[in-house]
């Protein structure tokens, strides 16, 4: 398509990580919830890996007090690396934590006013280009990854894109929900968006699942700081105001999603990922069967 060559590439990603993680207390009293590991990688690492696979160059963390461990994680640990090298240990395991100099930026969300406000805190770094957003609680496992699938769709249709998935009707009130228009393959036109609707008022059971590619104009809408569901400044409300002014599509992710914002989802992700790892699958399967057997 001729148009796609004029499209600015998606080079920047915003990771809102200022939340207090109260659902995982006391584990998250002194460490950020994004640093809780699924096996041997902290949750934030999965999101960053997905971003880099999609061609994202600059990572923008919207952090808050007590969240410095996230930035530390992606810094070079000189003493650790020197000690490991001296002991002839491979440094390959640290590879995913390396960021090109200057490509990690942390801004603070000083007050927890909502997801929309968190994103708006990154406006000066995002500047005048399309950008991605990752909610690290939503662990998306696929090949290619969710954001890569979205970037491919973006190259086709441009504008704004969100990842969506179907949930049972009873769950829609916990999420942002789309009013779907025409669908073609994995792409669905978005006609409307509503944050945390009542079940009977939800326009569908297709929910926003934590990945976005947005145009910078959304920052101007967020600038108005209008409050929505739960008294918070909602990203969903700002996006809803963009519909009609710019193309807006949903991408149904071909892959698996784990809600690591909940304890059950976290356990599910840990088990599922362990069962997919060549170095663990067999032992974990045997262990799970043994535990289930004991339980019965
Ligand atoms: C946020 C978004 C919501 C989205 C959800 C995905 O809600 O506001 O639209 O569906 O993440 O996890 P939160 O979980 O922060 O309440």
């Amino acid at each position: 398509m001729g148009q796609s060559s004029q499209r600015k590439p998606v080079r920047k990603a915003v990771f809102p990580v200022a939340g207090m993680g109260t659902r995982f207390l006391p584990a998250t009293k002194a460490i950020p919830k994004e640093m809780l590991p699924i096996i041997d990688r902290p949750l934030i690492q999965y999101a960053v890996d997905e971003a880099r696979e999609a061609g994202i160059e600059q990572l923008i963390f919207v952090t808050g007090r007590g969240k410095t461990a996230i930035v530390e994680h992606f810094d070079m640990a000189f003493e650790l690396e020197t000690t490991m090298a001296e002991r002839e240990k491979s440094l390959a395991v640290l590879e995913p934590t390396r960021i090109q100099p200057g490509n990690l930026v942390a801004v603070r969300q000083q007050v927890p006013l909502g997801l929309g406000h968190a994103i708006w805190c990154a406006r000066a770094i995002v500047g005048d280009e399309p950008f991605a957003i990752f909610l690290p609680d939503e662990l998306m496992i696929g090949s290619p990854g969710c954001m890569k699938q979205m970037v491919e769709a973006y190259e086709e249709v441009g504008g704004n894109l969100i990842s969506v998935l179907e949930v049972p009707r009873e769950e829609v009130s916990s999420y942002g929900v789309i009013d779907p228009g025409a669908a073609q393959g994995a792409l669905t036109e978005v006609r409307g968006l509503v944050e945390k609707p009542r079940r009977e008022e939800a326009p569908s059971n297709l929910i926003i699942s934590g990945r976005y590619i947005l145009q910078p104009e959304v920052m101007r809408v967020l600038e108005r700081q209008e409050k929505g569901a739960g008294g918070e400044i909602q990203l969903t409300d700002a996006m809803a105001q963009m519909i009609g002014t710019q193309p807006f599509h949903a991408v149904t992710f071909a892959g698996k999603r784990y809600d690591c914002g909940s304890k059950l989802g976290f356990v599910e992700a840990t088990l599922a990922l362990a069962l997919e790892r060549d170095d663990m699958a067999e032992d974990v399967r045997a262990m799970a069967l043994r535990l289930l057997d004991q339980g019965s």
Side-chain angles (χ1 to χ4, degrees):
M1 257 187 255
Q3 246 189 323
S4 60
S5 56
Q6 292 152 25
R7 246 165 234 141
K8 286 189 189 168
V10 186
R11 299 185 309 121
K12 302 183 179 187
V14 179
F15 300 79
V17 291
M20 286 195 284
T22 46
R23 278 200 266 177
F24 282 88
L25 282 170
T28 48
K29 188 177 170 198
I31 58 163
K33 69 172 173 179
E34 295 80 8
M35 290 304 291
L36 296 178
I38 304 277
I39 310 176
D40 51 11
R41 280 197 284 168
L43 206 43
I44 188 70
Q45 183 77 62
Y46 291 89
V48 166
D49 291 349
E50 186 191 326
R52 291 161 112 189
E53 182 211 13
I56 300 291
E57 293 163 16
Q58 189 177 62
L59 313 177
I60 307 165
F61 293 117
V62 181
T63 70
R65 286 175 68 81
K67 293 283 185 156
T68 41
I70 298 174
V71 176
E72 293 278 331
H73 178 77
F74 293 100
D75 193 7
M76 187 180 167
F78 183 75
E79 282 178 21
L80 175 69
E81 296 202 10
T82 313
T83 311
M84 284 173 73
E86 274 168 14
R87 295 183 186 165
E88 290 177 9
K89 290 212 162 93
S90 166
L91 295 177
V93 75
L94 295 174
E95 192 51 43
T97 68
R98 293 188 207 286
I99 306 296
Q100 286 292 316
N103 270 349
L104 187 154
V105 183
V107 295
R108 292 257 177 165
Q109 184 189 22
Q110 291 139 322
V111 215
L113 297 179
L115 178 60
H117 177 259
I119 301 306
W120 177 77
C121 288
R123 68 200 178 284
I125 317 294
V126 165
D128 190 27
E129 32 181 306
F131 64 105
I133 301 172
F134 291 77
L135 308 190
D137 274 3
E138 298 281 355
L139 178 56
M140 310 292 267
I141 303 289
S143 183
C146 184
M147 187 52 71
K148 192 164 167 117
Q149 292 179 23
M150 291 174 71
V151 166
E152 280 164 12
Y154 175 75
E155 281 161 5
E156 293 272 318
V157 293
N160 303 272
L161 289 148
I162 49 180
S163 66
V164 293
L165 54 89
E166 257 182 79
V167 297
R169 272 268 164 191
E170 316 70 270
E171 292 176 21
V172 288
S173 55
S174 304
Y175 298 100
V177 179
I178 74 162
D179 177 6
Q184 203 185 9
L187 269 181
T188 304
E189 200 189 316
V190 178
R191 290 195 310 202
L193 288 163
V194 41
E195 182 67 16
K196 302 197 172 66
R198 292 191 4 210
R199 180 183 163 176
E200 50 290 359
E201 282 160 14
S204 75
N205 63 340
L206 284 170
I207 61 133
I208 307 172
S209 65
R211 300 292 183 272
Y212 312 72
I213 293 178
L214 299 179
Q215 296 300 318
E217 287 77 17
V218 74
M219 295 296 190
R220 277 180 229 143
V221 185
L222 288 169
E223 186 93 35
R224 295 182 213 137
Q225 314 249 339
E226 289 161 8
K227 290 194 176 127
E232 296 189 347
I233 300 169
Q234 296 289 356
L235 179 61
T236 303
D237 297 343
M239 293 191 303
Q241 293 185 48
M242 310 260 289
I243 298 169
T245 69
Q246 293 181 346
F248 216 116
H249 291 91
V251 178
T252 306
F253 169 53
K256 295 207 183 100
R257 168 254 187 179
Y258 303 98
D259 172 13
C260 292
S262 82
K263 289 173 207 174
L264 211 56
F266 207 91
V267 173
E268 185 191 9
T270 306
L271 262 179
L273 267 58
L275 287 169
E276 273 167 27
R277 273 174 61 151
D278 292 344
D279 62 336
M280 302 180 81
E282 213 177 303
D283 290 342
V284 172
R285 178 166 285 111
M287 184 184 71
L289 288 172
R290 201 170 57 238
L291 288 171
L292 288 170
D293 212 31
Q294 283 166 8
S296 64

